[in-house]
Amino acid sequence: MRWRTYALCGRRRGTRSLLCQWTVLSMIPEVSLSLSLLSLCSFETKNLTKFSMGNTLSLVASMVTPLGIGTAIGISMRDDVKSWYPTIRKPAWTPPNWIFGPVWTALYGMMGFASHRVAGMVGWTSKPLQLYAANLVLNFLWSPLFFKWHRLGAAACDITALLGVLYATIVEFSKVDELSGRLLLPYLGWSCYATALTYNIWLNNRDS
């Protein structure tokens, strides 16, 4: 529904070329979610406060960083996902491959928006943002460990550490801004699921 609102607004303002570009990009699932999240955050923030150029750049950087790095890592793992991943033993509750891109795009977008809000209140060098940075490092490390190097045990250890750091990040974010803490809850839920899946695959493929 929000996409339709933005599309109608663009049409009424006469920005037909931009609207066409939006439509084409929205046909790509990951890009579509990214555009939606960026537009939603920008729209709502502009209605809450008078946005300066610095804050605008901070918002864009906060969201593009996890989205960009996450997407780049995902693209680099594409061949391994298609070739090696189907050959290993997995539980019946393993999600289909196509769902990872849209889910992570949405989660990275929410993470970026939450970090922007917290950074605007306590600064990028504060404890909450240091924990967030550590969480991102562990997050980005998991995919190469699992898909590229096939180090399933190391990937299990990595994602276990990620859960601990993520929980601490949510606690610290919530102390600063309750909404930012809540924005990380879907990420926590998905990470718990990914942890169970990682351990299951590791234990069932130790002999391979």
Side-chain angles (χ1 to χ4, degrees):
M1 294 298 294
R2 290 185 181 275
W3 289 4
R4 292 179 183 176
T5 301
Y6 297 130
L8 288 173
C9 288
R11 186 176 299 171
R12 287 171 185 170
R13 292 174 184 173
T15 57
R16 294 184 182 275
S17 62
L18 290 176
L19 181 59
C20 291
Q21 294 175 25
W22 176 280
T23 303
V24 172
L25 288 173
S26 295
M27 295 172 68
I28 306 172
E30 290 83 352
V31 176
S32 176
L33 278 168
S34 303
L35 289 172
S36 179
L37 287 163
L38 285 167
S39 298
L40 174 59
C41 294
S42 179
F43 177 81
E44 292 184 349
T45 310
K46 285 178 181 178
N47 279 274
L48 289 172
T49 59
K50 209 170 182 180
F51 226 31
S52 68
M53 179 60 72
N55 284 333
T56 302
L57 293 175
S58 174
L59 172 61
V60 172
S62 298
M63 298 187 67
V64 168
T65 298
L67 282 168
I69 297 176
T71 299
I73 292 175
I75 291 173
S76 69
M77 303 289 115
R78 186 170 295 173
D79 291 339
D80 297 279
V81 172
K82 291 180 179 179
S83 58
W84 171 77
Y85 188 59
T87 66
I88 62 175
R89 291 186 288 273
K90 298 181 288 293
W93 38 275
T94 301
N97 291 347
W98 63 264
I99 203 171
F100 289 103
V103 166
W104 277 113
T105 300
L107 293 177
Y108 282 140
M110 288 187 285
M111 291 160 58
F113 185 41
S115 69
H116 166 75
R117 289 177 61 89
V118 173
M121 299 176 188
V122 295
W124 285 104
T125 59
S126 61
K127 180 181 178 180
L129 272 299
Q130 291 176 1
L131 287 169
Y132 174 71
N135 158 77
L136 282 182
V137 171
L138 291 169
N139 181 297
F140 296 146
L141 182 60
W142 182 88
S143 288
L145 283 172
F146 189 92
F147 290 110
K148 178 64 71 175
W149 303 320
H150 309 162
R151 300 288 300 276
L152 303 183
C157 292
D158 175 88
I159 200 168
T160 302
L162 184 149
L163 281 180
V165 174
L166 175 56
Y167 178 77
T169 303
I170 292 174
V171 171
E172 293 300 321
F173 271 32
S174 298
K175 291 178 182 178
V176 177
D177 178 52
E178 187 175 351
L179 174 59
S180 296
R182 290 180 178 178
L183 283 170
L184 297 184
L185 292 179
Y187 174 34
L188 177 63
W190 180 260
S191 296
C192 288
Y193 172 59
T195 301
L197 184 62
T198 300
Y199 271 94
N200 184 286
I201 292 175
W202 175 39
L203 295 174
N204 284 288
N205 292 273
R206 300 178 83 173
D207 57 341
S208 58

